[in-house]
Amino acid sequence: MTTKHEQIIAYIEQLEIGHKISVRQIAKNLGVSDGTAYRAIKDAETRGIVNTIERVGTVRIEKKQRSEIEKITFAEVVNIVDGAVLGGKEGLHKTLTKFVIGAMKLEALLRYVGPGNLLIVGNRDRVHQVSLEYGAAVLITGGFDATEEVKQMADFYQLPVISSSYDTFTVASLINRAIYDRLIKKEILLVEDLLATHEEPITLGPIDSVDTFHQLVRETSHSKFPVVEETGRIVGMVTAKDVIGLSASDRIEKAMTRNPVYVHPHTSLAAAAHEMVWEGIELLPVVDEQKRLLGIVSRQDVIESLQTMQKQPQIGETVHELSTRGFQEVTKEGTPVLRGKISPQMTDSLGILSTGVLTTLMTETCLRLLRKYHREDLVIQNFTLYTLKPVQLETMIEIVPKILELGRNQAKLDVEVLTDHQVVGKALITAQMIEK
């Protein structure tokens, strides 16, 4: 039996792209409370099937595929630039292909404006009109209004005309930053990326017998299975070790491990790997918001995907890449050492090296040392910073790691940060191997 929440999500999914919805409308049409409708709409927004705009409302949008995640809709542009929609609200769901800055004469501008574009321009009424005629939406900077004629054209062509109080440079920077962040997000592998290549999981029910478990083992050569109810909700996991000593007629619910560790489709693979290491498990169920089983990922699946990801070229830079970009790896007595100068972006409000950047640099240095020993599949299990002194801007620092223990599954390292041969930072780091 589906819940009211699921019914609302299904209702929203069948609405046409561009359809406006509201809490009151959902509550009235489906006979639910305003609170239930509100929570479902927020969930739909998280799933990427609606977008909410201040002073406009919530609009049904097309869910982007992973390959199109860097694209943004005009509705999202409104939120990014804190804008107001002056006209063309029916086109808010449309996707932005590129933006053009209108810092040129009208004749020259026509070569760059086309369908799906967003023209960023000031209070140039004629340019607004021509842009809409050529199929491009308009973003007016400086907080200026549009003429009634432009607003009517926007409604006719279903192309948004947006006004933002920011200047042209700020608006372009905000949109570019949003697209850039999506490129980084696109590179991060999620659990759902693995599920797309997997078959439906083989499951058992709580009332199935241990004999059924043994039959599945013989048929599949697997020894671990999720246990789900008739509704598809996961209630446990059962392994060959769990059924030892039980008779063939005993029920699975007697042997299974209840409340198993699970992840959601949007969990990153790195987080899933850490969960597997921390809990010491080989299989990880993937569930939806109602804990219904969607699939299973194994430790080997996760490792192989992470290894593939490490070999891919990077498009967008994360804080991690930005923190290490100005540093060079040098070899000192056979040990890889990071050496570089503290730049303004690496400091805090007091002008000294940020603690977050420092821990990133220390962690990266230790991982590079461990990779020399072919230990590539690692997660940091513990980081203890027990010496820290202020490091000023423009200071040259050297980060030196030292292995204290190196076992089959775990490594313990001491790492020092030096400036002018003086220790300004010292930490103890423990790293855990992700075994296949």
Side-chain angles (χ1 to χ4, degrees), residues 60-122:
R60 173 74 167 94
I61 61 174
E62 188 173 2
K63 185 174 182 180
K64 301 183 187 71
Q65 301 300 318
R66 289 277 286 170
S67 59
E68 300 178 338
I69 198 171
E70 72 275 14
K71 296 181 181 179
I72 59 177
T73 63
F74 293 121
E76 291 169 306
V77 170
V78 177
N79 290 333
I80 292 167
V81 302
D82 296 327
V85 182
L86 305 180
K89 294 179 181 179
E90 297 299 322
L92 286 170
H93 66 281
K94 295 178 180 178
T95 300
L96 165 68
T97 55
K98 72 173 182 178
F99 62 87
V100 179
I101 297 176
M104 61 193 81
K105 290 184 178 181
L106 179 57
E107 295 76 18
L109 188 64
L110 299 181
R111 290 182 293 173
Y112 300 97
V113 176
N117 295 174
L118 175 67
L119 176 65
I120 302 174
V121 69

Side-chain angles (χ1 to χ4, degrees), residues 71-331:
K71 296 181 181 179
I72 59 177
T73 63
F74 293 121
E76 291 169 306
V77 170
V78 177
N79 290 333
I80 292 167
V81 302
D82 296 327
V85 182
L86 305 180
K89 294 179 181 179
E90 297 299 322
L92 286 170
H93 66 281
K94 295 178 180 178
T95 300
L96 165 68
T97 55
K98 72 173 182 178
F99 62 87
V100 179
I101 297 176
M104 61 193 81
K105 290 184 178 181
L106 179 57
E107 295 76 18
L109 188 64
L110 299 181
R111 290 182 293 173
Y112 300 97
V113 176
N117 295 174
L118 175 67
L119 176 65
I120 302 174
V121 69
N123 56 338
R124 299 170 62 186
D125 299 335
R126 180 56 185 155
V127 171
H128 302 165
Q129 295 173 8
V130 173
S131 177
L132 292 170
E133 290 171 355
Y134 276 66
V138 179
L139 173 52
I140 306 172
T141 59
F144 293 107
D145 201 353
T147 65
E148 286 303 318
E149 183 180 356
V150 168
K151 294 176 183 178
Q152 291 173 10
M153 289 179 64
D155 291 336
F156 176 78
Y157 289 115
Q158 295 188 352
L159 290 170
V161 173
I162 306 162
S163 177
S164 173
S165 59
Y166 296 126
D167 58 61
T168 300
F169 175 80
T170 303
V171 161
S173 298
L174 288 171
I175 297 174
N176 196 53
R177 178 74 255 180
I179 295 173
Y180 189 77
D181 287 345
R182 287 161 184 265
L183 284 172
I184 294 173
K185 186 178 179 181
K186 182 179 177 181
E187 295 169 10
I188 300 172
L189 285 178
L190 305 179
V191 169
E192 67 178 355
D193 297 322
L194 274 183
L195 286 184
T197 63
H198 279 50
E199 298 177 355
E200 288 290 322
I202 300 170
T203 64
L204 286 165
I207 62 174
D208 285 336
S209 65
V210 171
D211 184 56
T212 304
F213 170 85
H214 289 305
Q215 290 177 22
L216 280 181
V217 171
R218 288 191 293 270
E219 292 172 5
T220 65
S221 298
H222 298 163
S223 59
K224 306 177 183 68
F225 301 98
V227 183
V228 299
E229 297 175 331
E230 290 184 1
T231 59
R233 187 172 179 272
I234 188 167
V235 291
M237 290 288 290
V238 62
T239 69
K241 188 186 297 184
D242 297 327
V243 300
I244 293 176
L246 296 179
S247 66
S249 60
D250 283 334
R251 290 185 172 186
I252 290 297
E253 61 185 354
K254 184 177 179 180
M256 69 183 186
T257 301
R258 299 178 184 274
N259 301 316
V261 178
Y262 57 80
V263 292
H264 295 289
H266 295 294
T267 303
S268 71
L269 281 187
H274 191 276
E275 196 72 39
M276 286 178 159
V277 169
W278 188 257
E279 298 290 341
I281 53 181
E282 302 292 331
L283 287 179
L284 202 53
V286 184
V287 302
D288 62 14
E289 299 299 326
Q290 283 72 45
K291 287 184 66 176
R292 289 177 303 196
L293 186 68
L294 301 175
I296 292 285
V297 294
S298 69
R299 184 177 291 198
Q300 184 170 349
D301 291 334
V302 170
I303 290 175
E304 289 175 353
S305 297
L306 288 175
Q307 288 173 338
T308 301
M309 184 175 66
Q310 290 170 1
K311 297 173 184 176
Q312 300 300 315
Q314 297 297 309
I315 301 173
E317 288 182 301
T318 62
V319 171
H320 183 275
E321 278 89 35
L322 291 172
S323 299
T324 58
R325 186 171 59 182
F327 281 71
Q328 292 183 335
E329 181 179 316
V330 296
T331 303

